[in-house]
Amino acid sequence: MIIELLKKRCSVRNFANEEIPYDIIKEIIEAGRLSPSGGNEQPWRFGVIRDKELINKIADLAYNQSWIKSAPLLIVLCTVIVGDDRGGRDIQKRRFPRFNEEIEEMDKALYSYLNLEEHQTKIPGTHMVISAIENGIYSTWISYFDVERVSRLLGLPSNHVAAEIIAFGYPEVEVRIRAKKEMEDLVFYNYY
Ligand SMILES: Cc1cc2nc3c(=O)[nH]c(=O)nc-3n(C[C@H](O)[C@H](O)[C@H](O)COP(=O)(O)O)c2cc1C
């Protein structure tokens, strides 16, 4: 049951020195590939990083998060910038009618950058994290890194951005499940 997997999930930042077999990595990626996306655009690429030297370089671009170096696998979730011509600006104007004029006038390059479909990469990432747990592999999301330098390091094309990184591995020590807010503190029914 998926709820049982979700209850097992927690962030792990201390990984055992053990490689993840490639067939498990493939399953994790497959879980991401099956994600939904706006207009089924699938505006993402998944960078599978197992090279220790490259993992270390990425960790160095993540503001002293040296724990990342213990991970045997990083998956870099890259966003593909969807061009203005795909109608994104009109969608944003309808979502935020109050800013119609500003959105219309915004410089194209800046608009494209701000209109990153970055939030969408959270969906395949979430699929991957849950799929990994099924095989005893834990993970931690990483947003706190220099996006532009990591994108350059990986040689991404100019319309791609390294939006998120997830570190995967087997836990070195016993995992710790963190408390979550109670349901009644999170949910409202009909009106707030
Ligand atoms: C989008 C996102 C970005 C995150 N970025 C970082 C990060 O840069 N470094 C880090 O150590 N943890 C990061 N985390 C992990 C959170 O700190 C962690 O999920 C949170 O404390 C809850 O703990 P849990 O995952 O064990 O439930 C991130 C989590 C999410 C969802």
Side-chain angles (χ1 to χ4, degrees):
M1 290 287 277
I2 193 114
I3 201 81
E4 294 311 318
L5 288 180
L6 294 171
K7 282 180 182 167
K8 279 193 206 161
R9 189 214 59 83
C10 63
S11 293
V12 162
R13 297 180 181 81
N14 201 344
F15 296 106
N17 186 14
E18 186 180 343
E19 288 297 327
I20 302 173
Y22 189 64
D23 53 330
I24 295 181
I25 296 179
K26 253 175 86 179
E27 203 174 298
I28 293 173
I29 302 164
E30 177 68 352
R33 190 181 72 82
L34 297 172
S35 305
S37 59
N40 201 25
E41 191 100 41
Q42 302 161 70
W44 44 57
R45 293 287 181 278
F46 309 135
V48 177
I49 318 286
R50 304 172 84 187
D51 180 278
K52 210 64 210 164
E53 215 173 293
L54 187 52
I55 290 175
N56 290 345
K57 282 186 187 164
I58 292 173
D60 288 338
L61 294 175
Y63 305 111
N64 299 323
Q65 299 193 75
S66 56
W67 62 267
I68 295 170
K69 296 182 181 177
S70 73
L73 168 69
L74 301 182
I75 295 186
V76 182
L77 303 169
C78 304
T79 296
V80 178
I81 299 176
V82 177
D84 236 3
D85 47 329
R86 302 299 297 267
R89 208 182 280 232
D90 289 334
I91 292 173
Q92 295 306 345
K93 277 157 59 179
R94 289 188 192 123
R95 277 168 54 82
F96 302 103
R98 193 155 66 91
F99 295 110
N100 258 358
E101 249 170 65
E102 287 86 344
I103 292 172
E104 181 62 39
E105 283 166 11
M106 200 183 283
D107 167 75
K108 192 178 164 101
L110 176 64
Y111 175 78
S112 298
Y113 220 73
L114 293 181
N115 189 42
L116 286 180
E117 293 295 306
E118 188 180 338
H119 56 282
Q120 296 210 45
T121 58
K122 305 282 196 304
I123 303 168
T126 300
H127 282 202
M128 290 177 186
V129 165
I130 306 308
S131 154
I133 289 287
E134 210 168 21
N135 288 297
I137 291 157
Y138 284 73
S139 59
T140 288
W141 283 84
I142 306 158
S143 289
Y144 190 48
F145 64 95
D146 186 326
V147 166
E148 298 203 318
R149 286 183 71 189
V150 170
S151 302
R152 272 203 301 277
L153 174 67
L154 301 180
L156 301 185
S158 61
N159 66 336
H160 289 44
V161 176
E164 303 282 349
I165 302 169
I166 308 178
F168 291 91
Y170 298 97
E172 170 84 324
V173 294
E174 208 176 316
V175 303
R176 185 166 65 86
I177 306 289
R178 279 119 198 143
K180 299 296 171 195
K181 292 178 182 169
E182 296 300 330
M183 206 169 309
E184 54 269 29
D185 296 329
L186 297 172
V187 181
F188 68 91
Y189 295 94
N190 300 322
Y191 300 103
Y192 195 97

